[in-house]
Every structure is written in structure tokens, then in C-alpha cells.
């Protein structure tokens, strides 16, 4: 193999290691401390917030290859190579509060008005499109 090809392979390994570290960091959110907040005590009441977490990731790697000699004068083959990349994201939102009091334990949902509105408009849009197609 050519020196250029060996160098390409050596350079791609740290990129793969960085991608693996990114994946590990994204899935660190699955620990219990991320889902449930630290308890807050006020008087005889203790409140714990429960959250919903979502994560998404995309990773891609390229490759390389070569074809015969570049010319009759040069014995070095023509080669090409590619790299890789990736990315991801996380989102969190509170979904409930757990209230512990002398009277017992209550779970109060946190209403996400934005999510309800988006769902409503999506459903209305889908119904409008369906009605239009049925009439047409």
C-alpha cells in the first residue's frame, strides 16, 4: 500500500474514536439523575421533577480505493479516499412532579401546551387534506 493510503487510515481512527465518545455522551442522559431531579424539601413537602429525554444520532464513514498506475512514467497508483462525520442532539422536558407530603404521594403531570397545539394543528391539517382528496 502507498504511504498516502496508510496516512489516510491513521487519520480516520481518531475521528472514529471521537464519534464513539459522542455516542457515549449522548447516552449518558439515561442515568437516573438525569430523569429525576434532586428532591427539594419545603416544610413537610418533598418535590421531585420527572423529565422525558430523547436522543438522536447520525454517523457516517467513507472509504477509499485506487485504480491502476497514474501513467506509464509513474508507478504510484491513483487513489481516492473519504472521511466521515456525525452529529446528534438531545432534548429534555419535564413531564411530571412527584409530591411527597404527610397526606401521601401525588403525581402531577406537567401539561405541555405547545405539544398539544402542534398535535391539534397536525390533526386538523391531515383532516383537511383528506377531505379535499375525498371531494376531488
Amino acid at each position: 500500500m502507498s504511504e498516502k493510503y496508510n496516512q489516510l487510515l491513521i487519520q480516520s481512527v481518531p475521528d472514529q474514536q471521537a464519534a464513539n465518545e459522542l455516542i457515549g455522551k449522548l447516552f449518558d442522559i439515561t442515568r437516573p439523575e438525569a430523569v429525576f431531579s434532586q428532591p427539594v424539601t419545603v416544610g413537610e413537602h418533598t418535590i421531585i421533577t420527572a423529565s422525558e429525554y430523547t436522543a438522536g444520532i447520525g454517523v457516517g464513514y467513507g472509504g477509499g480505493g485506487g485504480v491502476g498506475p497514474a501513467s506509464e512514467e509513474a508507478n504510484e497508483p491513483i487513489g481516492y479516499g473519504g472521511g466521515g462525520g456525525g452529529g446528534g442532539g438531545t432534548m429534555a422536558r419535564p413531564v411530571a412532579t412527584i409530591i411527597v407530603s404527610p397526606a401521601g404521594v401525588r403525581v402531577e403531570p406537567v401539561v405541555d401546551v405547545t405539544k398539544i397545539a402542534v398535535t391539534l394543528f397536525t390533526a386538523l391539517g391531515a383532516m383537511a387534506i383528506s377531505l379535499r382528496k375525498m371531494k376531488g
Side-chain angles (χ1 to χ4, degrees):
M1 284 190 243
S2 74
E3 184 63 34
K4 290 179 185 177
Y5 182 72
N6 287 336
Q7 190 174 9
L8 175 67
L9 286 177
I10 291 169
Q11 289 174 349
S12 70
V13 171
D15 293 336
Q16 292 173 6
Q17 290 171 345
N20 289 339
E21 288 173 14
L22 172 66
I23 292 169
K25 288 177 184 176
L26 286 173
F27 288 104
D28 276 347
I29 66 169
T30 60
R31 65 188 195 287
E33 301 87 43
V35 177
F36 297 101
S37 71
Q38 292 294 321
V40 175
T41 303
V42 178
E44 295 182 333
H45 294 79
T46 301
I47 301 170
I48 302 168
T49 303
S51 298
E52 167 188 65
Y53 283 84
T54 55
I57 188 166
V59 179
Y61 295 103
V67 294
S71 66
E72 291 183 15
E73 297 94 33
N75 287 330
E76 189 74 26
I78 298 173
Y80 58 92
T90 59
M91 184 191 78
R93 68 179 190 90
V95 292
T97 54
I98 304 165
I99 303 164
V100 182
S101 68
V105 177
R106 286 189 345 253
V107 177
E108 296 287 332
V110 174
V111 179
D112 188 350
V113 178
T114 303
K115 201 170 198 177
I116 293 170
V118 167
T119 303
L120 173 68
F121 288 121
T122 303
L124 290 174
M127 287 189 283
I129 291 170
S130 295
L131 285 172
R132 181 178 277 175
K133 286 187 177 188
M134 288 170 44
K135 288 183 180 180

